[in-house]
Amino acid sequence: MTVTASVSAPRVTRAPVKRRIWSYWRFYLALSPFYVLFAVFGLYPMLSTIVLAFQRWDGLSARRFTGLDNFAFLIKDPTFWQALENTVVLFLMSTVPTLVLALVLAVMLQSAVRFTNVYRIAYFIPNVTSLVAMAIFFSSIFSTNFGLVNAALRSLGIPQQDWLGQPWGIKIAISTMIVWQWVGYNTLIYLAGLQAIPKEQYEAAKVDGAGAVRTFFSITLPQLRPVVLFTVVMSTIGGLQTFTEPQVMVGNSGGTGQSGMTVVLFFYRAAFLDNDYGYAAAIALSIFALVLLFTAINWRIFRGRGEDR
Amino acid sequence: MELSRRTLLGGFAAVAGGAVVGCSSGMDAGTTTKKNTATELTMWCWPGGLGKSVLDDTIAHFPDPKIKYSEIGGDFKQKLVTTFNGGTSIPDITGIKGEDIASLLPQAERFVDLKTVGADSVLGEYLEWKVKQATTLDGKVVGLPIDIGPTALFYREDIFAAGGLPSDPAKVAEQLKTWDDFFAAGVELKKANPKAPIVGDATGLYDIVVGQGTDRYISKENKFIGDQDHIRKAWDTVVKAMTLKIDGKTPSGEPDWNAGLDQGTVPAHIGAAWVALDIKSAVKTSAGKWRLAPTPSGPANFGGSFLAITKNAADPQKAFEVIKYMLSPDNEAKAFADAQIFPSTPAAYDKAQLKAADKFFGGQVPIDVFGPAAKAIPVAYQSPYDDSVAAPFHDELKTVQTGAKTSDAAWSAAVSKAKAIAKRQGVQ
């Protein structure tokens, strides 16, 4: 910007803009509660987490600035890498079946004639059930000697498994629970998406002689793409923050071989069990980076070619 | 003014700067000495931390200033720490759990040194090792012990008898003196009854074996000693239970454990006095068949808590009178009758409430086992970072239990992880 421009031109335009902004004060006031609350409970904690990530703090003593120490330790910490791997594996093990199942259910619900609302409610109930209560329930379903799953296996003549004592068993138990909880939610979203697809397209497909499978892959799926992107992004954010399920089912240690230790559980352990808040803040930032990365990847994959806007 | 990118960034910078200032003002929170008002004496504890009749009686006994008791649920230490940081509404008297006391000792300046308000006259009434847990290295006493958790062997008399083991408490005490004896008995029991592994969960045993020693993971000189013989011996003891295949792999408190207590697949449990409540509430049919014997290889402590006075107390002297009264041997005996809060004062062990026979244990008097155990618990220095450093050992033991790693591989992984954690915390 040159000096002359700043002297002459703005004087004319600035004043009215200012007046215009102030004349809308009532509207800003009406909007302000969200921004005030966000600043206090969203922005401030976020910023102080960033500051904290460069400090050592045990929760009570004075904070000490340590630069990149926390991050240096994080990179060398085998537990962190293990937690990262677990989180991604759990995310894939739970999100893929959840979305596939939800899509199938949604298509079935769309074509069902009777009791559709009953099914919708039934599928949605797991999503509003207390997570901790369900985690306790699931851990008894998967318990070794008296659990339901093993009772079913025994009755089929298959030897019982130590579900919550084996690394893969823990992952299966946790992802089963996530699938159970989120299928209904995604089904409802897909259902809404399905209802927005014009009927004419299906009629045209019928006239052209397309079968159910062809119709699904040529019309339903492409039309649902934005909805799928939404559910994938939401599942990514939720899945990378898995915490309650492993914490209640296998405890703060993450179970056998730490195979249920997710990044958020690792964060919880660092902050509230080891009182190493600076380190926990560094972990929290890594979760943030992870969510960003995965969301970007999803965006790339699901936005599709030719739609880059 | 138009909202350009520059002004937006400027705004963010201003907010960020504010955040930094906000943080730095929190930095010297340690020196706040804002006193509470003298009109009320506030007291915090967790649910079930104090006996109800004792509490009611204490509140009635001290009308001026009136005691205002708050039961704080959830993560107690977390809420206490948050309140300390907030700087207001800090209680005059607060409970501190046994597992948190070590990490709060470095914060001793936030609490009243009980010796300055006359604790010397009563400290002798409490178990010495327990008082030591709440004493800083330079001799400040931060808390007066509420209760302790001496361990014992809980076992099913009928299953021991059917398996050809001694079943009478006196005989069990005589024969199962060490871990080797105990494991040998387990092997014998398994021959007679393959469904009854004598060790409920070997990894749960680990903390008890470590607690039987006089050293833990970090020495008083702040040196890491978790890789030394005493820890390796505890590790090997636990691994032995696994290799002998007398490990039930059934962690206590889980649904399998609860069901197993009744069904006989968990015929024995080694745990603190308060586990009695867990067992009693879990079983339906095996009441009266349980017995108590001393812990093989000697007692350990598991749990137990303290009452402390904060620096914010308006009248520390008065607050001390209150906790002294609450935790007198008479009241400790009452609290035991109320809620199985096991007294930290040996004088209470002779009171009628503790001398009562327990039908659940077939008429055995529990204090006959727990009393001597409480007095014989070894003193070990516990560093503020003890729990963090112990975690890798627990994690890695589980990999041995499931057969994912050999004992030696898991041990070296545990030691290197623990060393890294210790080093991070400033331990040499």
Side-chain angles (χ1 to χ4, degrees), chain A residues 54 81 94 97 203 219 289 294:
Chain A
F54 298 93
W81 293 106
S94 58
E203 282 158 15
I219 297 174
F294 268 72

Side-chain angles (χ1 to χ4, degrees), chain A residues 59 61 70 145 165 258 275-276, chain B residues 77 85 107 256 395 402 424:
Chain A
S61 325
N70 289 327
N145 294 324
Q258 299 188 315
N275 296 312
D276 198 346
Chain B
K77 186 198 169 192
N85 279 324
Q107 298 297 326
D256 267 357
D395 295 344
T402 53
R424 178 167 166 74

Side-chain angles (χ1 to χ4, degrees), chain B residues 264-288:
Chain B
T265 56
V266 182
H269 180 81
I270 290 161
W274 45 262
V275 172
L277 266 188
D278 293 350
I279 297 181
K280 282 176 185 177
S281 62
V283 305
K284 293 180 191 76
T285 56
S286 62

Side-chain angles (χ1 to χ4, degrees), chain A residues 141-197:
Chain A
I141 283 184
F142 281 103
S143 72
T144 310
N145 294 324
F146 303 99
L148 261 181
V149 175
N150 275 341
L153 287 183
R154 273 197 303 273
S155 71
L156 294 172
I158 304 167
Q160 64 180 35
Q161 304 295 327
D162 185 9
W163 291 101
L164 295 175
Q166 296 288 352
W168 51 266
I170 290 173
K171 289 212 173 76
I172 290 177
I174 293 170
S175 47
T176 306
M177 191 179 157
I178 299 174
V179 170
W180 177 83
Q181 203 198 3
W182 289 100
V183 160
Y185 171 84
N186 289 301
T187 303
L188 284 194
I189 290 172
Y190 285 147
L191 207 58
L194 284 175
Q195 281 164 356
I197 300 175

